[in-house]
């Protein structure tokens, strides 16, 4: 997402090995674990995530390693929201709609390890999660139509003159407004190859007039943004089973208790983990309060806050961070 440039490029050569036992998945680097350098901000997907490339605009790469670089492209907390990976330590992100940019989209693509066989049916799956907008929550909206499409010897690239544009069709898609920002949604289906396709791309392949939208903030300036993880194309669902959602217990573990919510005069935060800093941001991303902590609980006075939505960012003792939403009445 080329809007933002929060910090300078810091190279850190990192390369994770792929488990060869998963070779039946025709999608290399399916959960975005192999990368060349830790993303110092959003917009660093191009020429960084091994095997993947952008086919329009500048999609994003989020990874735990970025938590040490101000966290703008971190995991689970980043500038566009808060989400744990389905598995591993990273995921991708892209916008599917911009209110004031007609038919504007971001796409990511990957070359399959081998072409599809004509007449053969393939199981396809991926996970998506709607971003809550993070520090840009006032501009959040949602769409349907997030999908996957197969290509044969495509000529699209990250050059603006060679971008993929909406074609009003997809091979596998989620054709319902997706507004869930807390959990991942599994999109799956079967595709029978009518050509020897050797590439896939993901995003919203439909023009604005065929895309349903829902605004949560300013209707004159909103964008829809989604996280993506664990992409698979195989001969059977068993080829993709190792990528199925398995972190639900980890996601719920050690979640702090924040109450009351909605709040009126005060907010209490109790946690099993030690907190070192608690910051409050309004819906526009402006910091309104920051408190140092050295323990498992804190009580904040919210009497002077205006009514509306706020974000609570907690920095833990291990320097990781988490962000939570709360409403002030």
């Amino acid at each position: 997402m080329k809007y933002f440039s929060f910090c300078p490029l810091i190279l850190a050569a990192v390369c994770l090995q792929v488990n060869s036992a998963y070779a039946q998945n025709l999608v290399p680097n399916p959960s975005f674990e192999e990368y060349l350098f830790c993303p110092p901000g959003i917009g660093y997907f191009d020429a960084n995530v091994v095997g993947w490339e952008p086919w329009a605009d500048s999609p994003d790469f989020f990874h735990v390693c970025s938590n040490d670089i101000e966290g703008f492209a971190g995991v689970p907390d980043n500038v566009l929201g808060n989400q744990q990976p389905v598995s591993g330590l990273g995921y991708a992100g892209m916008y599917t709609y911009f209110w004031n940019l007609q038919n504007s989209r971001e796409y990511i693509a990957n070359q399959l390890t081998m072409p599809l066989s004509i007449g053969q049916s393939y199981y396809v799956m991926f996970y998506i999660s709607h971003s809550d907008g993070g520090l840009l929550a006032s501009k959040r909206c949602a769409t349907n139509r997030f999908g996957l499409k197969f290509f044969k010897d495509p000529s699209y690239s990250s050059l603006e003159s060679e971008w993929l544009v909406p074609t009003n069709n997809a091979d596998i898609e989620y054709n319902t407004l997706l507004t869930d920002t807390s959990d991942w949604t599994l999109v799956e289906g079967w595709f029978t190859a009518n050509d020897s396709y050797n590439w896939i791309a993901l995003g919203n392949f439909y023009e604005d007039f065929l895309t349903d939208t829902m605004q949560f903030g300013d209707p004159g300036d909103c964008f829809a943004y989604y996280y993506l993880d664990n992409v698979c194309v195989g001969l059977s669902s068993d080829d993709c089973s190792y990528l199925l959602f398995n972190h639900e217990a980890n996601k719920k573990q050690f979640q702090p208790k924040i109450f009351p919510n909605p709040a009126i005069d005060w907010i209490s935060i109790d946690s099993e983990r030690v907190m070192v800093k608690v910051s409050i941001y309004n819906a526009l991303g402006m910091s309104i309060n920051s408190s140092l902590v050295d323990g498992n609980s804190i009580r904040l006075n919210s009497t002077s806050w205006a009514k509306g939505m706020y974000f609570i960012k907690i920095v833990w003792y291990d320097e990781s961070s988490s962000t939570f939403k709360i409403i002030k009445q």
Side-chain angles (χ1 to χ4, degrees):
M1 192 171 184
K2 66 181 178 182
Y3 254 21
F4 315 98
S5 179
F6 287 103
C7 35
L9 181 63
I10 300 176
L11 296 180
V14 178
C15 185
L16 305 179
Q17 294 182 345
V18 180
N19 190 332
S20 59
Y22 301 148
Q24 290 174 303
N25 181 3
L26 300 183
V27 181
N29 196 14
S31 57
F32 311 99
E33 297 305 311
E34 296 179 87
Y35 59 96
L36 301 181
F37 59 87
C38 187
I42 63 174
Y44 286 90
F45 190 93
D46 189 15
N48 185 19
V49 184
V50 175
W52 291 89
E53 59 184 60
W55 277 2
D57 216 323
S58 53
D60 308 306
F61 172 49
F62 302 95
H63 197 274
V64 166
C65 67
S66 187
N67 293 343
D68 295 329
I69 315 174
E70 301 299 333
F72 293 113
V75 170
D77 185 38
N78 51 70
V79 71
L80 287 164
N82 178 281
Q83 187 56 275
Q84 296 280 358
V86 178
S87 62
L89 301 174
Y91 46 76
M94 69 197 76
Y95 68 79
T96 59
Y97 173 83
F98 251 110
W99 177 271
N100 56 355
L101 296 174
Q102 186 176 16
N103 297 325
S104 184
R105 306 285 184 267
E106 286 181 326
Y107 299 104
I108 63 171
N110 198 332
Q111 185 172 9
L112 302 176
T113 57
M114 65 178 66
L116 303 188
S117 298
I118 297 176
Q120 176 68 54
S121 293
Y122 294 86
Y123 173 76
V124 180
M125 62 159 273
F126 56 89
Y127 281 95
I128 50 176
S129 178
H130 183 39
S131 159
D132 63 21
L135 300 182
L136 298 171
S138 63
K139 300 179 181 296
R140 180 171 71 98
C141 55
T143 66
N144 61 347
R145 299 291 198 184
F146 198 108
L148 179 149
K149 188 173 180 179
F150 290 92
F151 294 83
K152 181 179 179 180
D153 300 326
S155 59
Y156 307 109
S157 77
S158 59
L159 298 176
E160 189 167 358
S161 60
E162 298 174 352
W163 282 1
L164 172 65
V165 297
T167 54
N168 295 329
N169 65 310
D171 295 313
I172 302 293
E173 67 179 71
Y174 189 80
N175 194 17
T176 303
L177 276 168
L178 181 58
T179 61
D180 190 350
T181 61
S182 61
D183 294 319
W184 289 94
T185 296
L186 174 63
V187 182
E188 60 182 337
W190 287 88
F191 174 75
T192 300
N194 57 5
D195 205 339
S196 52
Y197 300 110
N198 56 353
W199 280 78
I200 58 168
L202 294 103
N204 175 14
F205 295 94
Y206 290 82
E207 295 177 272
D208 290 350
F209 80 98
L210 291 174
T211 299
D212 294 334
T213 63
M214 177 183 295
Q215 283 88 30
F216 295 90
D218 182 358
D221 185 18
C222 82
F223 66 95
Y225 193 89
Y226 290 86
Y227 300 126
L228 170 70
D229 205 0
N230 288 19
V231 184
C232 186
V233 176
L235 290 173
S236 74
S237 58
D238 291 340
D239 294 337
C240 305
S241 60
Y242 73 100
L243 290 173
L244 291 176
F245 186 82
N246 61 8
H247 82 290
E248 185 64 28
N250 291 333
K251 183 178 179 182
K252 293 181 179 179
Q253 189 179 27
F254 301 131
Q255 291 294 298
K257 183 179 180 181
I258 302 175
F259 63 95
N261 189 9
I264 299 177
D265 297 322
W266 54 271
I267 297 171
S268 286
I269 304 175
D270 293 334
S271 171
E272 295 182 23
R273 303 171 68 187
V274 175
M275 300 177 285
V276 297
K277 186 178 181 180
V278 175
S279 301
I280 309 297
Y281 298 87
N282 63 20
L284 297 177
M286 299 173 59
S287 176
I288 65 168
N289 181 276
S290 185
S291 302
L292 295 178
V293 192
D294 185 15
N296 303 91
S297 63
I298 186 173
R299 182 181 173 101
L300 301 173
N301 188 330
S302 58
T303 305
S304 63
W305 302 0
K307 294 182 179 180
M309 180 173 63
Y310 292 84
F311 296 92
I312 299 177
K313 181 177 179 179
I314 302 175
V315 179
W316 308 104
Y317 69 96
D318 60 0
E319 298 185 354
S320 64
S321 62
S322 302
T323 302
F324 306 91
K325 288 181 290 187
I326 194 166
I327 302 297
K328 167 64 192 302
Q329 286 186 341

